[in-house]
Amino acid sequence: MNLMAKRKEENFFSPENAKRPRQEELDDFDKDECDEDECAVSFTNGTSTLTAAEVGIIESIQLKNFMCHSMLGPFKFGSNVNFVVGNNGSGKSAVLTALIVGLGGKAITTNRGSSLKGFVKDGQNSADISITIRNRGDDAYRGNVYGDTIIVQQHISMDGSRSYKLKSATGAVISTKKEELIGILDHFNIQVDNPVSVLTQEMSKQFLQSKNEGDKYKFFMKATQLEQMKEDYSYIMETKERTKEQINQGEERLSELKRQCLEKEERFQNIAGLSTMKTNLEYLKHEMAWAVVNEIEKQLNAIRDNIKIGEDRAARLERKTEEQQVRLNEAEKKYKDIQDKLEKISQETSARAPECMALKADLTSKKRAYNEAEVLYNRSLNEYKALKKDDEQLCRRIEELKKSADQSLEPERLERQKKISWLKERIKALQDQESSVNQEIEQFQQAIEKDKEEHTRIKREELDVKTTLNFNQRQLKELKDSKTNRLKRFGPHVPALLEAIDDAYRRGHFTYKPVGPLGACIHLRDPELALAIESCLKGLLQAYCCHNHADERVLQALMKKFYSPGTSRPQIIVSEFRNEMYDVRHRAAYHPEYPTVLTALEIDNAVVANSLIDMRSIETVLLIKNNSVARAVMQSQKPPKNCREAFTADGDQVFAGRYYSSEYTRPKFLSRDVDSEISDLEDEVENKKAQILNLQQHLSTLQKDIKCNEELLRRYQLHYKELKMKIRKSISEIRELENIEEHQSVDIATLKNMEQQKENMEHLKSLKIILVLFKQDELNLADSEVDNQKRGKRHYEDKQKEHLDTLNKKKRELDMKEKELEEKMSQARQICPERIEVKKSASILDKEINRLRQKIQAEHASYGDREEIMKQYQEARESYLDLDSKVKTLKRFIKLLEEIMIHRYKTYQQFRRCLTLRCKLYFDNLLSQRAYCGKMNFDHKNETLTISVQPGEGNKAAFNDMRALSGGERSFSTVCFILSLWSIAESPFRCLDEFDVYMDMVNRRIAMDMILKMADSQRFRQFILLTPQSMSSLPSSKLIRILRMSDPERGQTTLPFRPVSQEDDDDRS
């Protein structure tokens, strides 16, 4: 607060030099005078060039139904000196009262009423005050909002309440809060309750008439705001003493808490091992849950292996049955063929039976004739020898005939052989050509096949690239949408869903408002770990949390409106909402260099943190940026305690014995650099489009090659067929030529062959009887083979049926085991969401769990409930540490406060000395203008102010107390005192009401000249002076404005005010 601002007050003038022409009365208050800001001529004969004020002065005021006036104003004030003149009851004091009340002052401050409702005119329901404050220049208050003026409108109701409207220069309502008005008054340093700024009529009379030195001192202290500073210091010292008492009480309480804490700690340490046992029990339960799952999985694997073996065996039995059926069919066919042949032979045998009988009779006669024939044989033998000689001669003759025939047909034979040789050569050439064409056909077929395979591969690759392109385009669209709304990263429907959730929560459909998506509730400490955390949390980033299952059902119903059937919906986690995050220090992983997922995230909501701990155990997952370092930490050495897995910056998952590469290359939900992601995705989309274009061009080239090769293949195949036909034609010609020679040789040998064929025919006839007997045996063997094959088929069919029954039984058992496995896995996930590796069997774990439970029960019986003891210890320790911290903080505060107060009090004393000194100097200077002498004696210890004034020469007369002065002299001295206070107190405007009431004409004129002189030297400040005098003798100046009030209405004598009491000041705002 600038209470020591410099004043430019050098241009004092002598009252004798001023002329006082009468100024015209202002009948029309709406007419503006000339621009006061441009006036540089002093209304005195001085040379002041100070400019008018730009901020904080009152430009106009208007009243409606205020006090006893229906309508007053608007009064437009000048920027420097304003006289409000009028008879008593005309409303001068009402204007000043409205100024105090309109700017937030209390009713009791005006000395005109005890409450605001007293200011409402009788018979009216409310009163209105409108005050316009100047707001220009560099020091303007929110100049871009309010403009050049601030309009303060106050509405006072009949019940004593009031409301504000703060308007801009254009009339727009900017605020209706009193805090805004207080901010404006503080900015302009307007103090309506400071008597130096606004000296009301009652205060003026009281001050002028007062002869109490203590009142003067209080007036000085209040005017300079030293009183407020003193009260503030007193309040601070009282607060300091109360704080010291709190510290003493806290120290006593602290020793008691320390003793309790030590007792609880000792008891807690006695059962510290119980925590480890319970942790081990929980871990054993987790292992037990998954051990049961492991055993069922082993049983399932054994059943699956048996089913696989059974299916393989069933397939083999099926093949053997089919093979047996084929053999049976062959045997039956063979049996039928033999039976058909046997039937045919039997028919032939039946047909030859009479001939056989005749032959038997003939045999008997021939036997009789045998002996006769034997005799004939010997005789014939001799004849044969003779015939043999003839035969040799005939053979020689035949040879001779053949030679002669060959000689006559030799030219034709040679021609035929030559043609045969030519045809054979042609066939060979055609066959070579055929082989070459066949190779070409194979090459074309291979080329076509290769091109088709390449076409299929490229087509598949194009489909994969298009799928990737569509995914990237969708992701690019989501990223662009997320620039305006980050929630769209988690799905296009998420903003609308969240609005629906808010609406449902407002309607009371939820017990607690669901939280989600979880990815929007977490923030990364290190942006480089975004992909690692997304790979760890996966679908949980889009999940929502509900307090109970009723809230879950409501949320599911809302989701159905935004997610169509068949599409995946976000996961809903049902867990009781807690205000505090789980204490996971005893089971969290720790590494001095690498954070866990929990410590790498900033999570403000405890519900989100607890859900991620429950669902993903984020306190046990390490984040290691480098892949090789992650392998070294997790696999080359023993993993850190409680750490089960780790993720790298590339999103790879690392276990103690396994390593899984990430499917993703960039984060989707948690990336901060959206513009960079969009740029990378746009580049990738363009690359994919170019890749698709290249693939399509390659496909087009392959299609052309395939079409061309197929056309060439068709031509070569036609050529191949033509060659085949030529080869067959040539072979036919060769056969025809060779058959000519064969016919000629057959004619020569025909004679010999005929005799031989006759003998063969006789022999075959004799064999048919034997053949019938042979076929009968063969038929019996075939029938036996058919029976064997049928028995074999029945054997395999029976085994297959039996095996299929067993296999179906195994499959039913497999289905039951799979259902059991699902139930056990669901139970295991409820106990331990993350699967763990278990080496022990369920029976061993069950024994360990029972043994550990018995041990824990024994510990409980010895020491009591561990949780309760731990809770008591934690509460005692937290209470002790909290109180200890508060006591130390208060001690530091008291020490700092004492240092500050010592310094501030010294500064306060120095400041008070400076103000008193300046006040004395100004007072002496002002008294000297009437050749008065005086002095001011400040007694700060007794809080008195003694003012001694001596009219006349100061060195010739003794100083007298003001009580010894006449009324005019005392009024003049009082005006000098007020002007002195004006010189040391800062305010944009000064208001005096009937300051000259007890002055004679001479003192009034002197006081007026002094005020005008000061006003001329302080053109940056506004003066509003209320007087019943006419002020006709004032000098003519554009910086002086006289506002004349109309005479009061007839019959109005006094205003309806009741006496002021402190209890009635119920100034309600």
Side-chain angles (χ1 to χ4, degrees):
M1 190 175 298
N2 298 326
L3 297 178
M4 299 184 67
K6 292 183 178 179
R7 306 284 182 252
K8 296 184 178 180
E9 301 172 349
E10 293 82 2
N11 298 324
F12 294 102
F13 62 92
S14 175
E16 292 79 11
N17 295 331
K19 295 182 179 180
R20 300 178 180 275
R22 180 179 179 83
Q23 186 173 354
E24 295 181 359
E25 297 178 359
L26 300 177
D27 298 328
D28 187 0
F29 296 126
D30 294 331
K31 293 183 179 180
D32 292 336
E33 298 293 338
C34 66
D35 189 354
E36 296 164 346
D37 294 343
E38 297 177 357
C39 294
V41 180
S42 171
F43 51 78
T44 69
N45 292 335
T47 59
S48 175
T49 59
L50 297 174
T51 59
E54 292 187 333
V55 295
I57 66 172
I58 308 300
E59 289 194 347
S60 67
I61 186 170
Q62 184 176 3
L63 313 178
K64 180 180 178 183
N65 298 328
F66 188 78
M67 295 174 67
C68 59
H69 304 281
S70 299
M71 181 68 72
L72 281 179
F75 301 112
K76 296 191 176 180
F77 296 102
S79 62
N80 195 222
V81 179
N82 298 271
F83 286 96
V84 181
V85 300
N87 294 324
N88 290 334
S90 61
K92 303 188 302 297
S93 298
V95 173
L96 191 61
T97 302
L99 180 64
I100 296 172
V101 174
L103 294 179
K106 296 182 179 179
I108 197 170
T109 307
T110 65
N111 294 313
R112 291 276 179 167
S114 59
S115 67
L116 291 176
K117 61 185 178 182
F119 294 121
V120 180
K121 185 179 179 183
D122 288 343
Q124 301 297 325
N125 294 325
S126 62
D128 294 289
I129 303 171
S130 178
I131 301 172
T132 303
I133 304 174
R134 183 172 293 180
N135 187 47
R136 304 177 186 171
D138 296 335
D139 293 332
Y141 179 80
R142 298 174 67 188
N144 59 335
V145 177
Y146 285 98
D148 291 341
T149 58
I150 298 175
I151 302 172
V152 181
Q153 290 185 352
Q154 185 176 148
H155 181 80
I156 303 174
S157 301
M158 194 63 189
D159 60 356
S161 63
R162 60 180 169 184
S163 60
Y164 296 94
K165 285 185 180 179
L166 303 176
K167 297 183 177 181
S168 65
T170 59
V173 178
I174 305 301
S175 177
T176 58
K177 297 180 179 179
K178 187 175 181 181
E179 290 77 7
E180 180 74 2
L181 176 61
I182 293 173
I184 293 171
L185 298 179
D186 290 343
H187 183 78
F188 295 148
N189 198 23
I190 297 174
Q191 308 161 29
V192 293
D193 58 346
N194 191 332
V196 172
S197 296
V198 181
L199 186 63
T200 63
Q201 183 176 345
E202 293 298 323
M203 181 66 73
S204 176
K205 290 178 181 179
Q206 180 182 354
F207 179 71
L208 291 173
Q209 293 177 352
S210 175
K211 299 177 182 179
N212 191 339
E213 295 173 349
D215 292 341
K216 290 185 179 66
Y217 184 84
K218 289 180 181 178
F219 189 84
F220 168 78
M221 294 291 286
K222 188 172 184 181
T224 56
Q225 290 188 296
L226 289 170
E227 182 181 5
Q228 181 64 39
M229 294 174 65
K230 185 177 179 182
E231 290 176 356
D232 292 342
Y233 292 155
S234 298
Y235 175 76
I236 292 171
M237 296 307 293
E238 291 175 3
T239 304
K240 173 187 167 186
E241 293 302 321
R242 287 197 299 271
T243 306
K244 282 185 175 180
E245 292 178 4
Q246 292 178 0
I247 291 173
N248 294 332
Q249 294 173 1
E251 288 178 339
E252 294 175 1
R253 175 65 178 159
L254 196 63
S255 59
E256 177 64 21
L257 284 177
K258 186 175 182 181
R259 184 186 61 78
Q260 293 178 4
C261 185
L262 291 174
E263 290 178 358
K264 301 292 184 184
E265 184 179 8
E266 183 179 0
R267 189 177 178 190
F268 172 73
Q269 288 176 350
N270 291 332
I271 59 167
L274 195 60
S275 173
T276 305
M277 286 190 287
K278 285 197 173 183
T279 303
N280 293 338
L281 179 61
E282 287 298 318
Y283 188 72
L284 286 174
K285 287 180 180 178
H286 295 175
E287 285 189 328
M288 181 66 180
W290 289 109
V292 173
V293 172
N294 287 346
E295 290 188 354
I296 295 176
E297 284 179 342
K298 289 178 181 178
Q299 295 173 6
L300 270 176
N301 291 333
I303 294 172
R304 289 193 183 104
D305 292 341
N306 291 334
I307 289 174
K308 188 174 183 304
I309 294 170
E311 287 176 346
D312 293 341
R313 188 179 177 191
R316 289 198 301 272
L317 288 173
E318 181 69 25
R319 287 196 299 272
K320 287 185 177 181
T321 303
E322 290 175 356
E323 292 172 359
Q324 195 68 29
Q325 183 65 43
V326 170
R327 288 197 291 270
L328 176 61
N329 293 338
E330 290 177 353
E332 288 178 343
K333 183 180 178 182
K334 184 177 178 182
Y335 176 79
K336 190 175 182 302
D337 291 342
I338 295 172
Q339 195 175 26
D340 292 342
K341 289 179 181 179
L342 181 60
E343 186 178 353
K344 186 176 179 182
I345 293 171
S346 298
Q347 290 175 357
E348 290 180 358
T349 304
S350 298
R352 290 181 178 269
E355 185 179 353
C356 184
M357 294 297 292
L359 289 172
K360 284 182 179 181
D362 187 52
L363 178 61
T364 305
S365 62
K366 291 237 176 132
K367 281 183 179 181
R368 286 195 301 266
Y370 174 74
N371 294 325
E372 297 176 358
E374 187 175 5
V375 176
L376 183 61
Y377 170 74
N378 292 327
R379 187 173 58 250
S380 298
L381 182 60
N382 294 327
E383 292 178 356
Y384 170 73
K385 291 179 180 179
L387 289 172
K388 190 175 182 181
K389 290 180 181 179
D390 294 338
D391 182 54
E392 290 175 356
Q393 291 176 358
L394 287 171
C395 286
R396 284 195 297 270
R397 179 62 180 162
I398 287 169
E399 287 296 327
E400 290 175 359
L401 289 173
K402 282 178 70 177
K403 287 181 181 179
S404 62
D406 289 339
Q407 289 176 357
S408 61
L409 298 174
E410 186 66 21
E412 293 181 17
R413 188 176 65 80
L414 291 174
E415 184 65 27
R416 285 194 302 272
Q417 288 180 351
K418 185 178 180 182
K419 190 172 182 180
I420 289 171
S421 299
W422 178 78
L423 286 172
K424 286 182 178 181
E425 290 177 359
R426 185 186 179 195
I427 288 171
K428 185 178 179 183
L430 290 173
Q431 287 175 343
D432 292 340
Q433 195 174 355
E434 177 193 19
S435 176
S436 176
V437 171
N438 192 30
Q439 290 178 358
E440 291 290 338
I441 289 172
E442 289 178 357
Q443 289 177 359
F444 280 119
Q445 287 176 340
Q446 290 174 0
I448 291 170
E449 187 66 27
K450 184 177 179 182
D451 288 345
K452 285 184 177 179
E453 289 177 358
E454 181 71 10
H455 185 276
T456 304
R457 185 186 65 80
I458 296 298
K459 197 71 178 175
R460 191 163 51 248
E461 185 177 351
E462 181 192 17
L463 182 62
D464 293 340
V465 175
K466 282 183 177 179
T467 303
T468 306
L469 175 63
N470 293 334
F471 175 77
N472 288 342
Q473 286 176 334
R474 286 197 304 273
Q475 193 172 359
L476 180 62
K477 184 178 182 303
E478 291 173 0
L479 280 176
K480 287 183 177 178
D481 290 343
S482 70
K483 287 186 70 176
T484 57
N485 190 340
R486 181 173 177 264
L487 292 173
K488 288 189 176 181
R489 282 199 189 187
F490 302 92
H493 307 298
V494 169
L497 176 60
L498 291 179
E499 290 180 5
I501 291 173
D502 291 337
D503 185 57
Y505 179 66
R506 285 193 297 271
R507 295 171 184 240
H509 295 167
F510 290 108
T511 308
Y512 290 94
K513 180 181 174 183
V515 179
L518 299 187
C521 304
I522 62 176
H523 304 283
L524 301 178
R525 300 183 189 274
D526 187 352
E528 294 182 5
L529 296 174
L531 182 56
I533 293 174
E534 280 196 19
S535 299
C536 175
L537 301 181
K538 295 181 180 177
L540 291 176
L541 292 171
Q542 296 174 279
Y544 291 78
C545 296
C546 288
H547 176 68
N548 51 38
H549 290 287
D551 289 352
E552 179 197 16
R553 287 191 291 273
V554 177
L555 183 57
Q556 287 281 15
L558 290 177
M559 284 185 177
K560 286 181 181 178
K561 299 178 182 178
F562 299 98
Y563 295 91
S564 56
T567 59
S568 61
R569 297 182 190 172
Q571 181 181 355
I572 299 177
I573 303 168
V574 180
S575 179
E576 184 180 355
F577 285 7
R578 296 178 57 176
N579 295 327
E580 296 180 357
M581 196 179 80
Y582 296 149
D583 184 5
V584 295
R585 289 173 293 182
H586 64 284
R587 55 189 173 92
Y590 172 74
H591 194 281
E593 298 180 23
Y594 309 113
T596 62
V597 175
L598 180 61
T599 57
L601 294 174
E602 291 181 1
I603 308 176
D604 299 328
N605 194 328
V607 174
V608 176
N610 293 339
S611 298
L612 294 178
I613 290 170
D614 287 337
M615 300 301 295
R616 192 61 183 86
S617 300
I618 59 174
E619 76 281 7
T620 65
V621 182
L622 283 180
L623 298 175
I624 305 172
K625 294 182 180 179
N626 188 277
N627 296 352
S628 58
V629 175
R631 285 180 183 272
V633 172
M634 297 297 296
Q635 297 177 351
S636 299
Q637 54 192 352
K638 185 178 180 181
K641 183 180 179 183
N642 295 330
C643 178
R644 299 175 186 170
E645 57 183 305
F647 283 86
T648 69
D650 296 331
D652 297 345
Q653 189 177 15
V654 187
F655 290 96
R658 304 185 303 279
Y659 188 97
Y660 299 104
S661 298
S662 175
E663 299 176 358
Y664 305 101
T665 57
R666 63 169 57 87
K668 180 180 179 182
F669 303 108
L670 302 179
S671 174
R672 291 185 183 176
D673 192 358
V674 180
D675 293 330
S676 175
E677 288 289 323
I678 290 174
S679 177
D680 293 342
L681 268 179
E682 286 176 345
D683 293 341
E684 192 165 339
V685 166
E686 291 301 322
N687 292 336
K688 294 298 180 185
K689 287 181 178 178
Q691 190 176 353
I692 289 173
L693 184 61
N694 292 335
L695 290 173
Q696 288 175 345
Q697 291 175 353
H698 193 183
L699 284 173
S700 177
T701 304
L702 285 174
Q703 287 173 349
K704 290 178 182 178
D705 290 345
I706 291 171
K707 189 174 181 181
C708 179
N709 287 336
E710 285 178 343
E711 179 63 25
L712 291 173
L713 176 62
R714 187 180 62 78
R715 292 179 184 177
Y716 273 92
Q717 285 175 340
L718 289 174
H719 189 199
Y720 183 77
K721 289 180 180 178
E722 291 173 357
L723 290 174
K724 280 283 188 184
M725 291 177 65
K726 289 179 180 179
I727 290 171
R728 284 198 295 269
K729 186 177 179 181
S730 299
I731 291 172
S732 298
E733 291 180 3
I734 290 173
R735 285 177 179 171
E736 289 177 359
L737 292 173
E738 288 178 343
N739 286 339
I740 294 172
E741 292 186 358
E742 288 177 0
H743 289 162
Q744 291 176 354
S745 60
V746 167
D747 291 340
I748 298 171
T750 299
L751 188 61
K752 291 182 177 180
N753 290 337
M754 288 179 64
E755 186 68 25
Q756 186 68 33
Q757 286 176 0
K758 286 181 181 180
E759 293 177 0
N760 291 338
M761 287 298 293
E762 292 294 330
H763 179 67
L764 287 173
K765 287 178 181 179
S766 63
L767 288 177
K768 282 186 178 180
I769 297 170
I770 299 170
L771 185 61
V772 170
L773 299 174
F774 174 75
K775 287 295 182 183
Q776 187 65 47
D777 294 336
E778 190 175 355
L779 183 64
N780 293 333
L781 290 173
D783 186 37
S784 176
E785 180 67 19
V786 170
D787 291 338
N788 290 334
Q789 296 300 334
K790 284 182 178 180
R791 284 194 300 272
K793 181 184 175 185
R794 281 195 300 272
H795 169 73
Y796 285 117
E797 286 177 345
D798 293 341
K799 290 190 73 173
Q800 187 180 22
K801 184 176 180 301
E802 180 184 356
H803 184 69
L804 287 175
D805 292 340
T806 305
L807 189 62
N808 291 331
K809 184 179 178 182
K810 288 288 184 183
K811 287 183 177 179
R812 287 194 296 272
E813 185 181 356
L814 177 66
D815 293 337
M816 293 173 63
K817 281 293 181 183
E818 285 178 344
K819 291 180 181 179
E820 184 182 358
L821 177 63
E822 289 178 2
E823 294 175 0
K824 294 298 182 182
M825 288 190 76
S826 176
Q827 294 173 3
R829 287 196 183 95
Q830 291 177 358
I831 297 171
C832 177
E834 187 68 23
R835 183 161 184 168
I836 56 178
E837 294 183 6
V838 183
K839 297 181 180 179
K840 300 178 182 178
S841 65
S843 59
I844 295 174
L845 288 172
D846 187 49
K847 292 178 181 177
E848 291 184 1
I849 288 172
N850 292 332
R851 185 168 61 251
L852 198 55
R853 276 178 178 164
Q854 293 173 359
K855 192 172 181 181
I856 290 172
Q857 289 173 359
E859 292 289 337
H860 273 302
S862 300
Y863 299 107
D865 185 25
R866 176 192 173 278
E867 297 295 333
E868 183 63 28
I869 293 172
M870 183 176 179
K871 182 179 177 182
Q872 291 176 1
Y873 168 64
Q874 291 290 344
E875 289 176 353
R877 186 172 182 273
E878 288 174 2
S879 299
Y880 171 75
L881 293 176
D882 182 55
L883 185 58
D884 184 56
S885 175
K886 287 180 180 178
V887 169
K888 289 179 179 177
T889 304
L890 288 174
K891 285 182 177 180
R892 289 195 299 269
F893 170 73
I894 289 296
K895 183 179 180 182
L896 181 63
L897 185 62
E898 287 177 346
E899 294 174 356
I900 292 173
M901 288 303 297
I902 291 171
H903 174 71
R904 292 295 295 271
Y905 189 70
K906 288 180 180 178
T907 305
Y908 166 77
Q909 289 177 323
Q910 182 180 0
F911 184 50
R912 187 177 61 186
R913 283 196 300 272
C914 291
L915 289 177
T916 55
L917 180 60
R918 289 184 65 200
C919 188
K920 289 178 181 179
L921 291 174
Y922 284 119
F923 184 72
D924 291 342
N925 190 14
L926 291 168
L927 287 176
S928 65
Q929 294 185 22
R930 284 195 63 188
Y932 280 25
C933 296
K935 64 178 180 178
M936 303 176 73
N937 185 20
F938 289 90
D939 186 354
H940 297 298
K941 183 176 181 181
N942 297 318
E943 296 184 349
T944 60
L945 171 58
T946 304
I947 300 176
S948 302
V949 178
Q950 176 61 47
E953 297 295 331
N955 54 358
K956 296 180 180 179
F959 289 100
N960 295 325
D961 187 86
M962 287 183 65
R963 288 174 290 185
L965 300 175
S966 65
E969 291 171 342
R970 188 167 62 249
S971 297
F972 171 74
S973 301
T974 303
V975 169
C976 291
F977 178 49
I978 291 174
L979 293 179
S980 300
L981 294 178
W982 277 7
S983 299
I984 63 174
E986 190 67 35
S987 179
F989 59 81
R990 317 284 196 192
C991 298
L992 287 179
D993 187 5
E994 297 192 7
F995 63 94
D996 55 352
V997 65
Y998 295 109
M999 296 182 186
D1000 55 17
M1001 290 300 296
V1002 175
N1003 285 312
R1004 182 181 295 116
R1005 180 176 178 179
I1006 293 171
M1008 186 64 64
D1009 289 341
M1010 294 171 67
I1011 292 172
L1012 291 177
K1013 183 179 179 182
M1014 177 171 284
D1016 183 52
S1017 65
Q1018 297 181 8
R1019 292 190 185 180
F1020 53 85
R1021 184 170 289 124
Q1022 186 182 45
F1023 297 83
I1024 300 174
L1025 308 174
L1026 282 70
T1027 178
Q1029 308 299 325
S1030 64
M1031 296 291 112
S1032 59
S1033 61
L1034 290 175
S1036 177
S1037 173
K1038 295 179 180 179
L1039 298 180
I1040 298 177
R1041 177 170 292 189
I1042 299 176
L1043 305 179
R1044 186 173 300 279
M1045 307 294 293
S1046 301
D1047 291 336
E1049 298 176 4
R1050 181 176 296 178
Q1052 177 181 319
T1053 56
T1054 59
L1055 297 178
F1057 294 122
R1058 52 194 176 96
V1060 177
S1061 62
Q1062 185 68 27
E1063 291 79 6
D1064 291 339
D1065 189 9
D1066 57 346
D1067 185 13
R1068 291 176 290 175
S1069 58

